[in-house]
Amino acid sequence: MTYELNDPMADYDLGLPGEVHVAPSADQLYDDLGLVFTSHGLEADRDRGVFHVALSGGTTPWPFYQRLLIDTRFRKVPWERMHIWVVDERRVPDDDDLSNFKSLRESLIEDIPIPPRHVHPMMVMHDKPAELYEAELRAECGSGDDVPRMDFVLLGMGTDCHTASLFPNSDAIHVTDRLVVVNDGPNVTPPPRVTMTYPLLNAARHLAVLCVGSKKTEALRRVAEQMASGPDPVNVPITGIQPSDGVLTWYLDREAAGKSDL
Ligand code: 6PG
């Protein structure tokens, strides 16, 4: 089953790389993204019998995760065959309020029929959290030496245009030979992070960037401006998101898109 979005503002041209979906309100945006998520889940389940999803933290996606739970239209998500990975994590204990996984567990995971062994938090307090996570990804989702392919990755974007924990001018930006790394140093907003890298993110089948509210408008303009002359991951990290054989779609409400008059 494929869900079609019926929104006149879909595919709005803002100069962003990939496809752009603009919804008239945040509420509508979460609905639209929920339908797309469900559709990708059904397709992955039908084609491969498994749905690998990598989810972000930050503040934006929580209403979306809760919507997935309460809206009956999303009952078809193949929860039992879904694997949940985290895009990035702060190096704090998993009961700390800064932990993305804690919020994910409380807003979504606790209430869906997902087998516990399909839930993959990052072991951030371990000595080698990145190596552990990379090995787990390769074991559960990989095939030989190929980079594992997530079916659906949900990203956010900071006002400095970082995505995941790939901050401007930080070490993780330059990594090409690892799937997951620790990112720390003067250009990383504390605490230290563990993050998926470009090679892993860019191997995904579908990457969705969710931006809500006028505080993201300027950053989106910056991305569009940068893309006019080409990607610059070091200074505008989200421009390093360039799927090798997948689709990148921006999901924006009209405030974020800077089209509040529409
Ligand atoms: C995180 C992220 C990060 C986030 C952006 C946007 O864990 O903080 O993965 O990349 O998506 O910083 O954050 P907001 O949604 O809070 O604006």
Side-chain angles (χ1 to χ4, degrees), residues 71-145:
D71 193 314
T72 52
R73 285 173 300 168
F74 309 137
R75 283 199 184 140
K76 289 182 193 299
V77 173
W79 302 115
E80 290 87 353
R81 285 169 304 286
M82 182 164 120
H83 282 247
I84 296 186
W85 303 87
V86 287
V87 167
D88 65 325
E89 187 60 278
R90 291 157 183 79
R91 293 193 81 181
V92 295
D94 66 6
D95 59 353
D96 190 298
D97 285 342
L98 286 177
S99 160
N100 282 342
F101 184 73
K102 175 178 191 264
S103 309
L104 255 180
R105 197 177 58 220
E106 290 170 353
S107 65
L108 180 70
I109 294 169
E110 279 176 356
D111 294 305
I112 54 175
I114 184 170
R117 63 178 194 84
H118 289 193
V119 179
H120 306 280
M122 286 174 166
M123 297 294 128
V124 283
M125 303 312 280
H126 190 274
D127 282 354
K128 294 186 180 286
E131 287 81 349
L132 268 187
Y133 211 54
E134 179 160 340
E136 193 173 338
L137 274 158
R138 289 195 182 278
E140 292 286 345
C141 178
S143 136
D145 289 338

Side-chain angles (χ1 to χ4, degrees), residues 51-237:
F51 182 34
H52 285 285
V53 169
L55 299 175
S56 284
T59 51
T60 310
W62 310 120
F64 167 64
Y65 298 146
Q66 300 232 291
R67 183 68 56 91
L68 285 177
L69 286 180
I70 56 176
D71 193 314
T72 52
R73 285 173 300 168
F74 309 137
R75 283 199 184 140
K76 289 182 193 299
V77 173
W79 302 115
E80 290 87 353
R81 285 169 304 286
M82 182 164 120
H83 282 247
I84 296 186
W85 303 87
V86 287
V87 167
D88 65 325
E89 187 60 278
R90 291 157 183 79
R91 293 193 81 181
V92 295
D94 66 6
D95 59 353
D96 190 298
D97 285 342
L98 286 177
S99 160
N100 282 342
F101 184 73
K102 175 178 191 264
S103 309
L104 255 180
R105 197 177 58 220
E106 290 170 353
S107 65
L108 180 70
I109 294 169
E110 279 176 356
D111 294 305
I112 54 175
I114 184 170
R117 63 178 194 84
H118 289 193
V119 179
H120 306 280
M122 286 174 166
M123 297 294 128
V124 283
M125 303 312 280
H126 190 274
D127 282 354
K128 294 186 180 286
E131 287 81 349
L132 268 187
Y133 211 54
E134 179 160 340
E136 193 173 338
L137 274 158
R138 289 195 182 278
E140 292 286 345
C141 178
S143 136
D145 289 338
D146 293 348
V147 176
R149 293 196 78 183
M150 292 286 123
D151 294 301
F152 193 96
V153 176
L154 183 64
L155 295 172
M157 180 178 70
T159 50
D160 60 355
C161 300
H162 82 264
T163 192
S165 283
L166 301 165
F167 289 90
N169 290 295
S170 65
D171 293 345
I173 293 287
H174 304 281
V175 173
T176 56
D177 60 349
R178 302 277 309 280
L179 306 181
V180 184
V181 292
V182 170
N183 204 14
D184 194 5
N187 298 319
V188 172
T189 306
R193 316 288 184 108
V194 181
T195 184
M196 291 187 171
T197 60
Y198 292 123
L200 176 59
L201 294 169
N202 285 332
R205 292 188 169 83
H206 188 84
L207 288 136
V209 184
L210 177 64
C211 295
V212 173
S214 55
K215 64 181 187 298
K216 298 294 165 78
T217 313
E218 202 39 54
L220 287 162
R221 282 204 192 108
R222 214 177 137 208
V223 175
E225 265 167 40
Q226 183 59 54
M227 288 310 294
S229 54
D232 175 9
V234 175
N235 294 301
V236 188

